[in-house]
Amino acid sequence: MEEKKDRMDVFLKSLIKMGELPLEDRIMDYLMDLSSEREIPEVVRERTIAKLEKRQKEFRDTMKRLQNPAKLNSFGEYIRLIRIKEKSDTSDLAMRAKIATNKFILLENDRVSPLDFNPDEMANLIRLIGLTAQDAIVLIRKSYQLFKMQPKISEAYARYDDKQGAPESKIGDMDRALKELMLKSIIRKAESLADPELENYLKDLQDKLK
């Protein structure tokens, strides 16, 4: 039993050090320090340890992926990672960006064209989430292409709609892998690199970001 308490303590300290748990969070301390007659059941301890392990892994993965934004699949993916890092919900970030929540959700999930946001809105959002102009342009290009390919992406998902009971983390991996493959396929096509509407939008956006 003492070994399991030690494992939980290690995970808690690690998460606190990474900023994932607030220092004032004493719930787990309370659970671990309960007297023997009120001992936490074994199954509860095991589930707690598993959740702490998962939370630690997700946070480390998020921080690693944020180190090189240009390698992400889309502008929406960056927004989602920033929300995880800051532990903020969609409505909170949308409100700070002065964008309607439903529209913001569509952007985060690559289901709306970035061009549906005027350059002033987009520039304000880019500054809010801490992206450089260069990285923002790269990710907006990707998001625009993914939006144009949304019918194909939806068709691919429809074929695997059941997902065979795959855990949420695996579904997320599948989503990133599919989008990455789609982006690689269109980069090989010369016509995907020349879109006057996109280029004009990006030019206006760059001017706003100066």
Side-chain angles (χ1 to χ4, degrees), residues 73 176-186 188:
N73 286 330
R176 289 198 301 273
L178 176 60
K179 288 179 177 178
E180 186 175 345
L181 286 172
M182 291 286 194
L183 286 168
K184 285 180 178 178
S185 71
I186 59 177
R188 297 190 186 101

Side-chain angles (χ1 to χ4, degrees), residues 27-89:
I27 296 175
M28 294 306 303
D29 287 338
Y30 169 76
L31 290 175
M32 290 189 293
D33 289 334
L34 286 178
S35 58
S36 58
E37 63 269 19
R38 298 175 60 197
E39 193 61 73
I40 299 299
E42 180 76 7
V43 65
V44 175
R45 285 185 176 276
E46 289 298 335
R47 287 176 180 171
T48 301
I49 290 172
K51 287 180 179 179
L52 288 171
E53 289 176 327
K54 180 182 177 182
R55 194 168 180 180
Q56 184 182 55
K57 182 180 182 301
E58 288 177 344
F59 188 75
R60 284 177 174 168
D61 179 59
T62 295
M63 298 304 293
K64 182 178 179 180
R65 288 162 60 197
L66 281 172
Q67 288 177 359
N68 196 339
K71 287 189 176 181
L72 298 176
N73 286 330
S74 69
F75 189 72
E77 183 179 1
Y78 182 84
I79 291 174
R80 186 160 52 255
L81 293 175
I82 285 294
R83 283 203 305 103
I84 294 172
K85 177 187 174 183
E86 296 182 352
K87 297 182 284 293
S88 62
D89 58 33

Side-chain angles (χ1 to χ4, degrees), residues 148-171:
K148 289 176 65 178
M149 297 184 70
Q150 193 59 50
K152 292 183 179 179
I153 294 174
S154 297
E155 182 183 341
Y157 271 122
R159 291 198 295 269
Y160 299 97
D161 193 38
D162 186 14
K163 294 189 176 64
Q164 314 251 323
E168 187 176 343
S169 59
K170 292 295 183 183
I171 294 174

Side-chain angles (χ1 to χ4, degrees), residues 115-129:
L115 276 59
D116 283 357
F117 298 78
N118 68 58
D120 286 313
E121 280 183 315
M122 186 60 76
N124 181 51
L125 177 56
I126 289 169
R127 294 188 186 99
L128 179 65
I129 59 179

Side-chain angles (χ1 to χ4, degrees), residues 9-24:
D9 191 50
V10 168
F11 284 124
L12 279 169
K13 287 179 179 177
S14 175
L15 289 167
I16 289 172
K17 186 176 181 181
M18 291 189 295
E20 179 63 2
L21 286 178
L23 291 173
E24 64 270 22

